[in-house]
Amino acid sequence: MGFVFLVVIGSAAGYLVSRALGVRLSVAETVVLGVLGTVLGSWIVRALLSFLGFFSWLLGAFVGVLILLWAYERYGRSRR
């Protein structure tokens, strides 16, 4: 897994998921959550759907970021 590829896919996934959930994040938060979500999601999806190849990365990135962003919003962000 190339580092640049990971950052690009993770950033895109983080951006898409944060917009889909209506969450406003800084660029740094979007990239970090996107990259971590991509790693998490790719492990999950590649284990379950290894036959999909490249599409497992895209689906995994989206699912991983979705899970992390949900958890971040629920538990990690300070309430105002």
Side-chain angles (χ1 to χ4, degrees):
M1 155 173 32
F3 179 74
V4 173
F5 184 70
L6 177 67
V7 171
V8 170
I9 294 294
S11 297
Y15 176 79
L16 291 173
V17 172
S18 66
R19 295 303 174 250
L21 294 179
V23 177
R24 301 189 122 233
L25 299 172
S26 70
V27 173
E29 289 173 321
T30 301
V31 171
V32 169
L33 285 174
V35 169
L36 292 175
T38 299
V39 171
L40 173 65
S42 68
W43 287 341
I44 292 168
V45 172
R46 285 175 58 173
L48 297 175
L49 306 171
S50 62
F51 62 92
L52 285 179
F54 176 73
F55 291 105
S56 69
W57 279 87
L58 297 176
L59 182 60
F62 189 82
V63 170
V65 173
L66 186 67
I67 292 168
L68 282 178
L69 189 55
W70 173 80
Y72 179 72
E73 279 295 303
R74 183 158 175 100
Y75 302 111
R77 219 167 183 181
S78 56
R79 302 281 181 201
R80 292 179 192 186

